[in-house]
Amino acid sequence: MYKLYPYFTNDGSVGLFSPDADDIYHSTYGALTEAYEKFILPAEFEKYFAKHDEIKILDICFGIGYNTKSFLNYFLEKILPEKTDKKNIKNMSIEKIDTDNIKYTATIDGNNKYTSEIYTDNTNCKNTSSDIASTCNTIQKIESQNLNPKFKIFIEAIDTDKNLAFLSPLFITGKRNTKNKNLNFHQAKIEKMLEDEKNKKISKKRLKNETNMILLLKIIENHPEMLNDDEFYKLLTSKNYRQYFDAFIRRFLASYKFMTSKYTLLRLLGAFLHNIYYRYISKRQKKALNALKLLDFKFDLKIDDARKILFADDNIYNFVFLDAFTPAKCPCLWTVDFFKLLYSHLDEDGMILTYSNAANVRSAFLEAGFFVGKIYNDAAGKFMGTVAVKNKSLIKNELSEYDLGLLKTKAGIFYRDENLTGQNEAIIAAHEKEVENSTRISSSKFIKQWKRKVT
Ligand SMILES: C[S@@+](CC[C@H](N)C(=O)[O-])C[C@H]1O[C@@H](n2cnc3c(N)ncnc32)[C@H](O)[C@@H]1O
């Protein structure tokens, strides 16, 4: 029987333990906060969206979706308001004075005031003087954006675990009382990890209420079979896990199941606003509906081995989140061969982000043709993670002499998986053999030599 091993991390979001990998999926200081710090903030999406209205993201190892959710949340919170905010138009005030005719009064420039009433139709723009024409065009742009502002977001998410992916929008975040009573697994180990991270200086993240709702709608749209998946429903309704799910979204899903298929998803959400659950209506549904009107958001969830999916995929991505278990646990997603496959799916100005600092990960990226840099974590005040790019100018923090030295040691020997079909155990065994037979110095010897050199 499928089992979950959930617990509350220190920021009030749910973390999971994997007995198979004997590893935690998420950091105990905060599962959601970790996603923000390791994937969202280093990506500097503001810079990207200053130039683009479209984005393609590949979320490898979606799990319970913190990286996708954090991106979506960041987009709704920071990017979307900025992009649709009239205040961005400099030195201009716009007053809509006639709704039917879409007539405006525009005041250009605080010092050199110019007031004009403009009808936002093309002929009018053409016949005006150049000042007015430019104002007129700007207003038309704003108007057309506000009437129909569509930002194209495409996220391809991959994971082998269907249950986690289906449950992802239902996990609660921002839980206040995060006392973990009766953990049925590694109680002492997890509690110790939680305690160690408790006082870490981090800015705890929260999700906007509508983020999970949007993700849920998208997963149902993409995987309607989820509504009839018994295993998923068993997990969702089990008393053991109840506290880890968001009661509101669970209720929404329950009512959703009773609705007939003649409704489209958006109409269904609209219809839900008027149905018998009216008393439960919170702002989140209305906000989800509004956000979906502004976004052309395609979410493609693939349940299979990432190597297989990517081999058959012909998308080119702007950003890739690589969040596999550590290389020692899941080497198949850290091999030079998998990175070569990623290379062929990355835009020339694209970026791969990962939490791993491992020398063999960095050397595999280099061998696959990427430029490699480090991620500086402001909150922790240290380097945590790696970026791989094709355009060198995108690297903010280059590898140091020390980092490059480590890559030449045994620790820098990367994993291989020539046919992209190897089992983790076989990849590990071949790697161990290669390390054993290598004449390179060990990383510990290198570190000792380095310390002597710098002191
Ligand atoms: C560290 S967890 C990812 C956590 C996730 N990003 C989240 O926000 O919850 C690693 C994930 O890798 C998935 N996984 C393991 N092997 C995989 C493979 N070969 N292809 C795709 N996913 C894999 C596991 O099911 C697990 O969900």
Side-chain angles (χ1 to χ4, degrees):
M1 206 182 73
Y2 189 98
K3 267 185 156 181
L4 285 173
Y5 298 90
Y7 62 96
F8 286 112
T9 65
N10 287 334
D11 70 355
S13 58
V14 179
L16 295 177
F17 176 79
S18 162
D20 290 342
D22 188 28
D23 204 356
I24 47 171
Y25 284 68
H26 311 100
S27 162
T28 45
Y29 74 78
L32 180 64
T33 307
E34 178 191 31
Y36 255 85
E37 283 180 1
K38 294 188 175 160
F39 294 92
I40 307 306
L41 299 180
E44 300 193 305
F45 286 114
E46 289 92 341
K47 279 193 190 162
Y48 178 84
F49 282 108
K51 293 192 196 143
H52 306 91
D53 285 342
E54 291 187 33
I55 192 164
K56 278 192 178 180
I57 295 179
L58 174 63
D59 185 354
I60 303 176
C61 294
F62 176 78
I64 52 174
Y66 282 120
N67 300 334
T68 285
K69 284 191 240 185
S70 299
F71 165 76
L72 196 56
N73 197 66
Y74 195 80
F75 184 83
L76 295 177
E77 203 168 71
K78 291 264 176 14
I79 311 288
L80 192 60
E82 180 95 349
K83 283 250 175 188
T84 49
D85 194 346
K86 287 177 189 162
K87 278 182 277 177
N88 280 343
I89 305 300
K90 280 186 196 128
N91 305 326
M92 188 187 290
S93 69
I94 300 157
E95 186 195 348
K96 202 167 185 172
I97 55 174
D98 180 337
T99 14
D100 291 340
N101 291 308
I102 324 175
K103 190 177 171 187
Y104 288 89
T105 297
T107 308
I108 318 164
D109 191 75
N111 299 324
N112 183 18
K113 279 200 176 171
Y114 186 94
T115 307
S116 175
E117 287 182 1
I118 296 164
Y119 291 88
T120 55
D121 64 80
N122 284 323
T123 40
N124 201 326
C125 274
K126 275 183 202 145
N127 295 335
T128 52
S129 69
S130 63
D131 295 20
I132 306 176
S134 85
T135 313
C136 187
N137 285 326
T138 313
I139 292 173
Q140 282 185 336
K141 212 169 132 201
I142 298 165
E143 184 66 13
S144 67
Q145 270 194 7
N146 283 332
L147 290 176
N148 189 23
K150 285 274 183 195
F151 301 98
K152 262 191 158 171
I153 296 179
F154 172 73
I155 300 181
E156 169 121 336
I158 312 175
D159 203 287
T160 42
D161 191 329
K162 169 255 319 172
N163 289 327
L164 293 187
F166 285 180
L167 289 170
S168 61
L170 290 130
F171 281 102
I172 200 164
T173 50
K175 178 100 168 150
R176 293 250 160 91
N177 179 5
T178 57
K179 274 227 151 66
N180 284 299
K181 288 179 229 142
N182 309 325
L183 291 182
N184 58 348
F185 58 98
H186 284 287
Q187 171 110 15
K189 184 175 166 182
I190 300 281
E191 269 174 8
K192 162 109 183 33
M193 288 165 92
L194 285 163
E195 199 50 45
D196 289 350
E197 301 281 5
K198 206 166 186 175
N199 299 319
K200 202 165 188 174
K201 240 180 90 193
I202 50 163
S203 58
K204 290 183 182 174
K205 288 295 163 202
R206 293 270 177 278
L207 281 186
K208 283 170 87 69
N209 282 335
E210 63 268 35
T211 307
N212 273 323
M213 183 64 88
I214 292 174
L215 186 64
L216 175 70
L217 293 170
K218 287 292 155 182
I219 293 182
I220 299 175
E221 189 176 73
N222 198 218
H223 286 270
E225 76 278 12
M226 166 185 169
L227 293 174
N228 298 312
D229 189 306
D230 290 342
E231 195 174 36
F232 157 67
Y233 271 99
K234 251 186 210 150
L235 292 166
L236 187 60
T237 50
S238 157
K239 274 195 182 142
N240 294 339
Y241 309 134
R242 187 157 278 216
Q243 60 168 328
Y244 299 104
F245 296 122
D246 181 321
F248 177 84
I249 302 208
R250 228 188 33 213
R251 264 196 311 262
F252 174 77
L253 189 66
S255 77
Y256 197 100
K257 270 197 81 166
F258 289 111
M259 303 249 192
T260 64
S261 57
K262 67 182 172 177
Y263 289 106
T264 63
L265 281 173
L266 278 184
R267 280 189 57 207
L268 210 49
L269 182 58
F272 185 76
L273 295 175
H274 301 287
N275 79 4
I276 50 162
Y277 285 92
Y278 191 82
R279 65 204 154 101
Y280 293 125
I281 288 172
S282 76
K283 282 185 192 156
R284 80 173 84 178
Q285 282 162 273
K286 289 178 195 158
K287 284 186 174 171
L289 196 57
N290 286 339
L292 283 171
K293 280 185 199 154
L294 300 176
L295 303 181
D296 177 354
F297 176 30
K298 191 162 176 268
F299 180 70
D300 204 353
L301 171 64
K302 297 266 168 63
I303 306 296
D304 210 334
D305 189 310
R307 295 171 293 176
K308 195 169 151 195
I309 298 295
L310 220 52
F311 197 72
D313 180 48
D314 52 13
N315 283 301
I316 300 292
Y317 296 95
N318 307 108
F319 290 90
V320 177
F321 303 148
L322 176 55
D323 199 9
F325 289 125
T326 58
K329 300 273 162 58
C330 185
C332 72
L333 299 184
W334 303 100
T335 65
V336 65
D337 308 280
F338 184 60
F339 289 178
K340 282 179 186 165
L341 185 61
L342 286 182
Y343 193 93
S344 65
H345 285 84
L346 190 70
D347 182 76
E348 291 306 312
D349 289 320
M351 180 178 278
I352 299 177
L353 297 111
T354 175
Y355 68 88
S356 177
N357 293 318
N360 54 21
V361 167
R362 288 177 173 168
S363 59
F365 273 132
L366 286 169
E367 180 71 14
F370 292 102
F371 293 104
V372 176
K374 296 191 281 189
I375 295 175
Y376 186 75
N377 185 317
D378 284 326
K382 57 182 179 185
F383 290 106
M384 284 166 78
T386 301
V387 291
V389 294
K390 290 180 174 178
N391 174 353
K392 198 172 181 217
S393 71
L394 294 170
I395 290 185
K396 261 175 97 178
N397 305 295
E398 301 221 6
L399 297 183
S400 65
E401 203 187 321
Y402 170 80
D403 299 321
L404 290 168
L406 259 185
L407 304 193
K408 295 195 183 110
T409 69
K410 286 192 177 192
I413 296 175
F414 45 74
Y415 294 93
R416 299 172 194 273
D417 178 22
E418 214 177 318
N419 299 320
L420 293 170
T421 50
Q423 298 291 312
N424 283 325
E425 297 73 18
I427 296 173
I428 290 171
H431 180 254
E432 274 174 3
K433 214 172 193 178
E434 194 176 338
V435 172
E436 222 174 270
N437 296 335
S438 165
T439 53
R440 294 185 185 199
I441 65 164
S442 68
S443 56
S444 51
K445 200 164 175 188
F446 168 79
I447 294 169
K448 264 189 211 150
Q449 287 176 358
W450 183 267
K451 278 186 183 157
R452 244 182 274 136
K453 197 171 123 185
V454 293
T455 49

